[in-house]
Amino acid sequence: MSVLDDLFRRVPALLMARRNLSRNRIRSGLAVLGIIIGVLAIASLGMFGTTLRTGATQQLGDIGNEISVSPNFQEGIEELTERDVDEIRRAVTDGAVVPVRSESKLVSRGDRQTVSTVYGMENPGALYEAEEGRIPDRLRQGALVGSGTAGLLDVEPGNTISVDGRTYRVAAVLAEQGGISLVSPNNAVIVPVEDVNGTGYSQVVVSADSGQAANESAVAIREALNEREERVSVFELQSITAGINEFFGILNAFLIGIGSISLVVAGVSILNVMLMSTIERRQEIGVLRAVGVQRGDVIRMILAEAGLLGVAGGVIGAILAVGAGVALNAFVLNDPLATFQAANLLYIVLAVGFGVGTSVLSGLYPAWKAANERPVEALRK
């Protein structure tokens, strides 16, 4: 004997509910189909929003862990000094501090040339990774070439390039950096900081280990440098990710609201099924009431029927939603297992619960109507 058969045997209301629903399989099947569509719509749209959020977060990368410190031009501060950089280093207890100078220069190799942004950095390895070659701990000589510039000039480690007439040996070609970056290396060349004109810095990038550490560093930098005057502007890239998460939260709620309409329609269908069922079984219910079956028993029987419709539709809808989620994440994220993250499972549980709840609520009025029918009138043809 299966678990379900044992459950039906132990709970008479469920046994009668299954028997009553099987009398008109087509009508019951259509009601279940409505629940399936509603549950599938809510769960799938919720998972779709989660997939979009995950994809956007992957495109942004770890920008939430970075902050940018730049001169406050509104207060007449044109550049960051060595003293400013030292104070930033003292304020940052968990992360790498990378002072940056920048200017546009002509970069060439043989008969190939392009105008690229040239960054002067002492420790670029704190921000970037090499696709070819090796990034030194301290850039004292040579140059690092971004993937885009390397492609234009056909450069690989060991080649020499000319930057405004000055020759550099390429130490590494940097890995392509996708998404948003404070200092994008893709179409740039990085040289020792003293080789870029200027005595100060155009900005300082702080790369922390986490978003929380980045926020703590931003607070500490503001307190250290802006205590007497507003010398610097601190931009936390975590604000971008926070805004994106807020947007996708609203989008998810909107999508789930659209899916919920399907369940409302399904609820009306179940209400109709339950009403028709009670009308057709009016005499049967009258006999039950006449032989002493209580109103509560009749209500439980009708609600059990509605609940069974909801459970059947919810389970099937959840299975289909998981299948849709696996296909969606495989196509968008190339990671079908992303379907089983906590947020998606929550949407599935929510959808099934909403489906069952809608079914039971739709059965309340028919159950009340059947339970309060006078036995004498119910037995009258």
Side-chain angles (χ1 to χ4, degrees), residues 304-357:
E305 294 177 26
L308 280 179
L309 292 174
V311 170
V315 171
I316 298 173
I319 294 172
L320 294 177
V322 170
V326 168
L328 177 66
N329 284 289
F331 178 75
V332 177
L333 303 178
N334 293 321
D335 182 15
L337 294 180
T339 305
F340 302 99
Q341 58 182 296
N344 287 338
L345 296 179
L346 178 62
Y347 286 126
I348 293 173
V349 172
L350 175 66
V352 173
F354 193 17
V356 175

Side-chain angles (χ1 to χ4, degrees), residues 107 116-119 144-150 174 183-190:
V107 181
S116 296
T117 301
V118 177
Y119 294 117
L144 311 177
V145 182
S147 58
T149 301
L174 301 176
V183 182
S184 177
N186 296 340
N187 298 306
V189 174
I190 301 175

Side-chain angles (χ1 to χ4, degrees), residues 88 196 286 325 356:
I88 292 172
V196 177
V356 175

